[in-house]
Amino acid sequence: MGIRGSCAVIGYGETQFAKLKDSAGRTNYSEQCLAAKAAIADAGIDKDEIDGLISIVPLDQKSSWTMDLSEYLQLNVKFMDNMYFGGASGNAAILYSAAAIQAGLCSTVLLVGGSVLDTSMVYEFGMEDSIPFEHDFDTIYGPMIDNSAYALIKQRYMYEFGARQEQFAKVVQNARYHAARFPNALLKKEVHVEDVLASRMICDPLHLFEIVMPCTGACALILTSAERARELANPPVYLLGGGQAIDRGMWHPAYGRSGSLTTSPVREAARQAYAMAGLGIKDMDFLQLYDCYTITVVISLEDVGCCENGKGAEFVEKTDLTYNGELPVNTDGGQLGRGQSYGGGHFVHAVEAVRQLMGRAGDLQVPDARFGLVNGNGGSMANECTLIFGNEVPKGGVL
Amino acid sequence: MTAEGKPVPDILPDTREYWEAASRGELLVQTCCSCGSKQYFPRLLCHRCLSEDLGWTKSSGMGTVYSYTVIHQAAHQTFAPDVPYVYAIIELDEGVRMISNVVNTDVSKVHIGMKVKVFFHRLSDTISIPRFEPVQQADTE
């Protein structure tokens, strides 16, 4: 038996997403502990049932963070890991936890990420914490950290395929449509294509509204065996498939971006996830796609199979991506609408998938949602981890 | 671009020859003596075959803009006087890509496919940084 259907998410929790100026009294500990507490309560289990822990190390914490957190929460765990490879870490943490549960290393894993962080801190870490070759072959040329890395991708994409700015702007319009209706979103004001185009050019061709706003917040999930999940009050949300892929030349710009800028490892990660689940893009009732920038969503849509390479921007333009549209995407507003919590953002898309599949998305509920895809992206489209969840385990498929 | 206070590369064992060449006005591309593979930036071993037997190819200094961004808001205060400036991927004629800046031109004129050539921006007696500028008509004739 493989991972498919062997584990399920039984609960989730979030803290309030907030700007740094509104984060007085909050710390990396308060974020991760309170999200964890909420997830444990939501799952309806005793804290002592948790015997596994994976946490996303906040940018300004030491690599011992997960051990520190385990002790702070007084957990007795026999499976533990730090995750520190960007936005794909959350999904990978879920996938690795499922493998550990399935292998008998542990039974119930708490997955948590979140921190207190703002833009200036991101830049500070990016510029001053860089590793030697990054400093010597990239930082000296004045990058705007992630903004410039994704701007290079978007510029090349527009050149190769003739994609237009208003097509990218539709990604933001969709995100903010959902965020305006989602209780725990930072950016509550709806914006339209023309507003995005009128927003300040930060890192041409990326406008301000196409770039996530770093914020305070945390998300947590609890994963356990399918058998245990069926004993609990929440409807189990089964992990049906997962896959991970890493590009050799896309992480540090210092390497000069040796790979293609316009296709991504999402293609391979999604292929693995579909194969494991025995499902395809047509079976997906929604997609929760890592959305640090508009270009990330456009390329991810292509690479999860919505359309061929180069047609993603046009697909966005022509498709209703709202929760009750043709293909619901980022139904809580995603990070472009909710703000990007470092660490919380690693799990935010999985949490929304679970919320939808438990039927708890309220005004933003995707009708009759059964299966959904979640993509996590890290390292400027270098690391990708795709998961497929369902509120049932379909018969057949590849086991 | 100004040099004032900007990050300066550290000369490390793997990169010493590269920076010494840059200081003389030469752009070197590390080349594997076993498999012939070229790589940027210089490393301890070949990224393709893991050979430690590495040599150097002197680049013509000519290249093409593979992608670029015009940065309007500097992430680091020392680049603030330079905005808007161009941060780009340059594909050298030798085949490797590197990050650099395209300068000495109106930022609105920079485009993908633009032919550029290296020049060396001297920061100190020992450090010169390769940056790029548009190829003028006279350079290609």
Side-chain angles (χ1 to χ4, degrees):
Chain A
M1 186 186 166
I3 288 172
R4 180 185 192 266
S6 67
C7 297
V9 177
I10 53 173
Y12 58 85
E14 296 186 356
T15 62
Q16 185 70 45
F17 282 36
K19 293 181 180 174
L20 189 75
K21 69 177 174 61
D22 303 320
S23 303
R26 297 173 69 172
T27 65
N28 292 328
Y29 278 98
S30 74
E31 293 315 294
Q32 294 208 6
C33 290
L34 295 177
K37 178 182 175 181
I40 292 166
D42 184 47
I45 61 169
D46 192 277
K47 183 190 76 153
D48 291 337
E49 199 175 320
I50 292 165
D51 60 359
L53 173 66
I54 298 186
S55 168
I56 311 299
V57 184
L59 277 179
D60 54 347
Q61 294 291 333
K62 292 187 284 191
S63 57
S64 63
W65 168 258
T66 305
M67 284 203 299
D68 301 340
L69 184 69
S70 175
E71 187 161 46
Y72 198 94
L73 288 169
Q74 289 287 290
L75 298 174
N76 284 316
V77 298
K78 50 190 182 183
F79 171 75
M80 178 192 282
D81 205 352
N82 274 348
M83 297 295 271
Y84 212 138
F85 51 88
S89 302
N91 277 5
I94 294 169
L95 188 59
Y96 299 172
S97 297
I101 293 169
Q102 221 271 319
L105 294 180
C106 58
S107 62
T108 300
V109 182
L110 167 63
L111 301 126
V112 58
S115 57
V116 179
L117 187 76
D118 79 332
T119 311
S120 64
M121 290 163 73
V122 176
Y123 294 149
E124 188 182 321
F125 292 122
M127 295 299 283
E128 292 170 15
D129 252 19
S130 58
I131 47 183
F133 62 75
E134 187 182 14
H135 176 272
D136 296 346
F137 296 95
D138 182 31
T139 306
I140 61 167
Y141 297 114
M144 201 182 175
I145 320 300
D146 296 318
N147 293 350
S148 49
Y150 284 89
L152 293 171
I153 299 173
K154 185 181 173 191
Q155 187 85 266
R156 183 74 196 183
Y157 186 97
M158 293 175 77
Y159 169 81
E160 286 187 17
F161 304 117
R164 290 173 285 112
Q165 287 285 14
E166 53 267 36
Q167 295 172 321
F168 290 95
K170 170 91 183 299
V171 173
V172 184
Q173 178 178 301
N174 184 65
R176 298 284 286 267
Y177 174 87
H178 289 138
R181 292 158 178 79
F182 186 81
N184 194 13
L186 194 60
L187 303 169
K188 303 294 289 183
K189 184 167 164 273
E190 226 176 296
V191 303
H192 300 282
V193 166
E194 54 274 22
D195 303 315
V196 179
L197 299 181
S199 69
R200 197 153 48 91
M201 193 63 90
I202 299 290
C203 214
D204 195 353
L206 285 173
H207 300 85
L208 179 66
F209 288 1
E210 297 181 82
I211 300 170
V212 281
M213 178 186 285
C215 70
T216 297
C219 292
L221 292 157
I222 297 176
L223 189 77
T224 192
S225 68
E227 294 75 31
R228 176 69 180 120
R230 285 192 277 268
E231 297 169 353
L232 297 165
N234 281 335
V237 174
Y238 299 99
L239 179 63
L240 300 176
Q244 193 172 4
I246 296 163
D247 189 293
R248 290 179 289 189
M250 287 291 284
W251 174 204
H252 289 291
Y255 283 99
R257 296 294 158 107
S258 55
S260 164
L261 289 189
T262 58
T263 59
S264 79
V266 174
R267 183 164 299 204
E268 172 56 21
R271 189 196 63 74
Q272 293 171 30
Y274 289 136
M276 189 189 292
L279 298 170
I281 182 67
K282 296 288 182 213
D283 301 307
M284 297 300 114
D285 296 310
F286 59 79
L287 309 175
Q288 310 296 344
L289 301 174
Y290 197 89
D291 59 337
C292 42
Y293 300 88
T294 50
I295 182 65
T296 321
V297 175
V298 168
I299 293 179
S300 298
L301 282 165
E302 296 173 5
D303 287 346
V304 301
C306 291
C307 56
E308 63 185 272
N309 183 218
K311 299 287 188 192
E314 189 185 328
F315 181 85
V316 168
E317 185 179 33
K318 292 185 172 167
T319 310
D320 182 349
L321 304 174
T322 60
Y323 70 98
N324 56 0
E326 298 156 80
L327 181 65
V329 172
N330 294 354
T331 44
D332 59 346
Q335 299 185 91
L336 284 168
R338 295 194 53 183
Q340 179 174 55
S341 143
Y342 183 84
H346 297 26
F347 288 112
V348 75
H349 297 284
V351 165
E352 174 60 9
V354 172
R355 185 185 289 114
Q356 288 285 351
L357 292 167
M358 285 186 178
R360 294 162 60 185
D363 292 344
L364 294 167
Q365 182 65 47
V366 174
D368 306 316
R370 292 165 68 208
F371 305 116
L373 179 147
V374 184
N375 188 66
N377 153 76
S380 323
M381 306 212 77
N383 311 328
E384 305 293 343
C385 187
T386 308
L387 302 179
I388 293 169
F389 290 101
N391 50 24
E392 60 181 276
V393 183
K395 298 261 189 292
V398 182
L399 284 167
Chain B
M1 279 190 150
T2 64
E4 201 67 38
K6 283 197 171 61
V8 175
D10 296 315
I11 299 179
L12 302 171
D14 298 347
T15 61
R16 178 176 304 280
E17 286 191 61
Y18 175 90
W19 291 116
E20 285 178 355
S23 189
R24 309 190 286 274
E26 291 177 9
L27 182 60
L28 295 185
V29 177
Q30 199 175 34
T31 307
C32 178
C33 301
S34 293
C35 74
S37 176
K38 292 187 173 66
Q39 63 189 11
Y40 186 88
F41 52 93
R43 273 162 259 179
L44 170 70
L45 37 69
C46 170
H47 70 167
R48 184 161 169 264
C49 74
L50 306 183
S51 169
E52 294 169 56
D53 185 11
L54 298 165
W56 303 94
T57 300
K58 188 180 163 191
S59 166
S60 65
M62 306 297 279
T64 307
V65 174
Y66 187 79
S67 194
Y68 71 99
T69 171
V70 181
I71 294 182
H72 291 271
Q73 184 181 319
H76 197 268
Q77 58 183 5
T78 59
F79 284 89
D82 303 310
V83 297
Y85 63 91
V86 174
Y87 167 88
I89 301 172
I90 307 299
E91 190 161 86
L92 296 177
D93 286 0
E94 287 75 20
V96 297
R97 293 184 203 155
M98 64 182 284
I99 291 288
S100 190
N101 305 116
V102 179
V103 296
N104 298 337
T105 182
D106 185 331
V107 296
S108 67
K109 292 201 163 56
V110 176
H111 58 273
I112 290 175
M114 183 184 221
K115 297 290 181 195
V116 291
K117 66 177 178 14
V118 75
F119 76 97
F120 291 87
H121 187 174
R122 181 161 289 282
L123 301 185
S124 70
D125 288 347
T126 52
I127 292 289
S128 291
I129 289 182
R131 290 194 156 96
F132 289 79
E133 59 189 0
V135 172
Q136 303 300 317
Q137 206 64 29
D139 296 317
T140 51
E141 282 168 0

